């Protein structure tokens, strides 16, 4: 009897922790979303838990179009002696992505192979001018090509691994206060015949950092390993672990920086940005319930404490003469985060309709004091629902919707404060003192005190065609 082949085409519009600084490496459409997970033989398991591919009994082609929607409202505070309202920004960012994958079972069904070409929904940065000293737009996008294998060790045990080549593209735009960050200090640098002070438009340098990883390099490789074990009748546990790209401490992105400032010629400098990307792990327990329902309990851990800052280096023969610092930090200041979810889904027995729902949470990946327009990541709640309609014997439609809600963050004592740089200069750059440590780590810029609101939505519409 020939094995049926499935052609799956999914159109997905999803929004979750992939934008505005929350958990930048995770993919909300894999694991948390209905009909996916570390125990499911779904194409997303190529990067989630390759071992789970072996549970499937059909060969598949899978394609999807994805996107990220992120709504962010920021109301920054003015200085204590300024009665005027502070800067306000309502920013909505959209970033598309896509996936094409193949799953193929070799004769004997002991070995399953997979291939995936994917660009994840990018982390997008707010582009409002009101937030310019922290961020003025940009995005971070990954393109991945992966090969995977799942081996059936026994009827109750599968092991799998996938190797990915990941290319990362980073575009980061922001305004640098050249007077504040000059060696002389904002009270000594002149703007139009008077001291510039802090936040003077005449000293506002617009930086456009545009860098990427090498085209082909072992530094781009990352590994996903997984195991799937049957703990009882219709009770499965899947676990997957994901290394950072390059298996090393840092990832290096190379490119250029464009710099513009009122009344001065534009500059273009070579640049390297060094980033410490996190490792992560996924796990899911799937159990059969009465009435042909499956219980899904899953979670994800991310080593986001590695993602402390974008370490930006500028270098060229004219960099120092042009007044461009060799090294600057754009802080992210994150800490490890954990997400969990649970829900039920109907088991596919060939019926016309299937439904599923999952509810979850995500711990904060950033302290309140380190929140800024570049990174907004408090604890949040998630809700995902999904439905599948069998239109005919070979045609299936899928629809899922998810929302992630972030409670309002009120920052009253921000780790970002321009006074740190002034105090550091007054101490003759005593780097053992707190103000100089803040300056060295990139926090001595415009204050990020204020309130932050985020909400995101996820929608996925799919068509699945079963070939005879």
């Amino acid at each position: 009897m020939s094995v049926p082949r499935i052609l799956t085409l999914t159109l997905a519009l999803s929004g979750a922790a992939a934008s505005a600084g929350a958990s930048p490496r995770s993919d909300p459409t894999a694991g948390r979303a209905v009909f996916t997970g570390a125990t499911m033989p779904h194409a997303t398991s190529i990067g989630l838990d390759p071992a789970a591919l072996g549970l499937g009994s059909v060969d598949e082609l899978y394609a999807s179009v994805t996107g990220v929607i992120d709504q962010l409202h920021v109301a920054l505070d003015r200085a204590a002696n300024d009665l005027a309202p502070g800067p306000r920004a309502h920013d909505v960012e959209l970033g598309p992505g896509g996936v094409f994958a193949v799953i193929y079972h070799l004769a004997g069904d002991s070995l399953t192979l997979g291939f995936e070409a994917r660009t994840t929904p990018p982390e997008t940065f707010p582009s409002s001018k009101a937030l310019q000293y922290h961020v003025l737009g940009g995005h971070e996008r990954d393109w991945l090509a992966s090969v995977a294998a799942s081996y059936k060790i026994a009827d109750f045990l599968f092991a799998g691994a996938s190797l990915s080549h990941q290319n990362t593209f980073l575009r980061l735009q922001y305004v640098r206060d050249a007077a504040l960050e000059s060696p002389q200090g904002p009270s000594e640098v002149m703007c139009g015949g008077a001291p510039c002070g802090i936040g003077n438009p005449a000293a506002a340098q617009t930086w456009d950092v545009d860098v990427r990883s090498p085209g082909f390099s072992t530094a781009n490789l990352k590994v996903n390993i997984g195991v799937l074990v049957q703990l009882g009748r219709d009770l499965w546990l899947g676990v997957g672990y994901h290394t950072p790209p390059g298996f090393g401490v840092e990832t290096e992105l190379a490119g250029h920086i464009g710099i513009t400032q009122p009344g001065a010629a534009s500059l273009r400098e070579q640049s390297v940005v060094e980033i410490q990307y996190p490792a992560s792990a996924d796990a899911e327990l799937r159990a059969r319930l009465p009435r042909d329902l499956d219980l899904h309990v899953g979670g994800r851990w991310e080593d986001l404490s590695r993602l402390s800052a974008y370490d930006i280096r500028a270098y060229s023969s004219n960099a120092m003469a042009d007044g461009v610092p060799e090294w600057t930090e754009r802080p992210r200041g994150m800490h490890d985060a954990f997400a969990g979810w649970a829900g039920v889904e109907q088991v596919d027995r060939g019926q016309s309709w299937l439904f599923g729902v999952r509810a979850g949470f995500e711990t904060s990946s950033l302290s309140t004091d380190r929140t800024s327009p570049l990174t907004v990541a408090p604890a949040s709640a998630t809700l995902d629902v999904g439905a599948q309609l069998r239109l005919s014997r070979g045609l299936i439609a899928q629809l899922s919707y998810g929302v992630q809600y972030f409670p309002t963050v009120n920052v009253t004592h921000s780790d970002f404060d321009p006074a740190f740089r002034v105090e550091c200069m007054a101490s003759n750059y005593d780097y053992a003192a707190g103000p100089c440590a803040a300056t060295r780590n990139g926090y001595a810029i415009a204050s990020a005190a204020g309130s932050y609101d985020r909400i995101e939505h996820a929608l996925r519409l799919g068509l699945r065609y079963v070939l005879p």
Side-chain angles (χ1 to χ4, degrees), residues 9-76:
L9 178 61
T10 303
L11 176 63
L13 182 62
S14 62
S19 58
S23 191
R25 314 314 298 172
S26 64
D27 183 355
T29 68
R32 194 194 89 190
V34 175
F35 307 130
T36 70
T39 64
M40 301 295 288
H42 189 270
T44 53
S45 288
I46 292 175
L48 192 67
D49 179 10
L53 300 176
L55 273 186
S57 59
V58 296
D59 301 332
E60 298 184 30
L61 298 178
Y62 175 84
S64 70
V65 177
T66 61
V68 170
I69 294 177
D70 194 348
Q71 297 174 284
L72 176 66
H73 180 76
V74 180
L76 295 178

Side-chain angles (χ1 to χ4, degrees), residues 66-127:
T66 61
V68 170
I69 294 177
D70 194 348
Q71 297 174 284
L72 176 66
H73 180 76
V74 180
L76 295 178
D77 294 340
R78 289 285 189 185
N81 59 352
D82 192 339
L83 300 180
R88 301 291 191 269
H90 183 71
D91 195 87
V92 178
E93 298 292 339
L94 170 66
V99 178
F100 175 78
V102 179
I103 299 176
Y104 183 76
H105 299 265
L106 297 181
D109 289 334
S110 292
L111 185 63
T112 304
L113 303 179
F115 168 79
E116 176 190 56
R118 168 167 56 98
T119 177
T120 56
E123 181 187 10
T124 53
F125 305 133
S127 55

Side-chain angles (χ1 to χ4, degrees), residues 193-283:
C196 291
I198 297 173
N200 193 314
Q205 288 184 344
T206 301
W207 282 44
D208 185 353
V209 181
D210 191 358
V211 292
R212 54 160 294 172
S213 57
F216 296 96
S217 172
T218 56
N220 295 351
L221 296 178
K222 58 182 296 183
V223 171
N224 308 289
I225 56 176
V227 64
L228 182 69
V229 58
Q230 186 176 22
L231 302 178
R233 183 178 180 183
D234 295 321
L235 179 62
W236 291 90
L237 174 65
V239 178
Y241 176 77
H242 325 293
T243 70
F247 318 110
V249 175
E250 290 184 329
T251 295
E252 186 175 281
L253 311 179
H256 296 86
I257 299 175
I259 303 174
T260 59
Q261 182 174 334
S266 298
L267 304 174
R268 181 176 170 87
E269 309 287 351
Q270 293 178 303
S271 176
V272 165
V273 176
E274 295 183 352
I275 312 173
Q276 294 180 322
Y277 285 128
S280 61
D282 283 89

Side-chain angles (χ1 to χ4, degrees), residues 7 238 351:
L7 174 63
Q351 62 270 50

Side-chain angles (χ1 to χ4, degrees), residues 364-376:
S364 71
S365 53
L366 188 75
S367 67
T368 298
D369 292 348
R370 290 188 171 183
T371 298
S372 74
L374 179 62
T375 313
V376 184

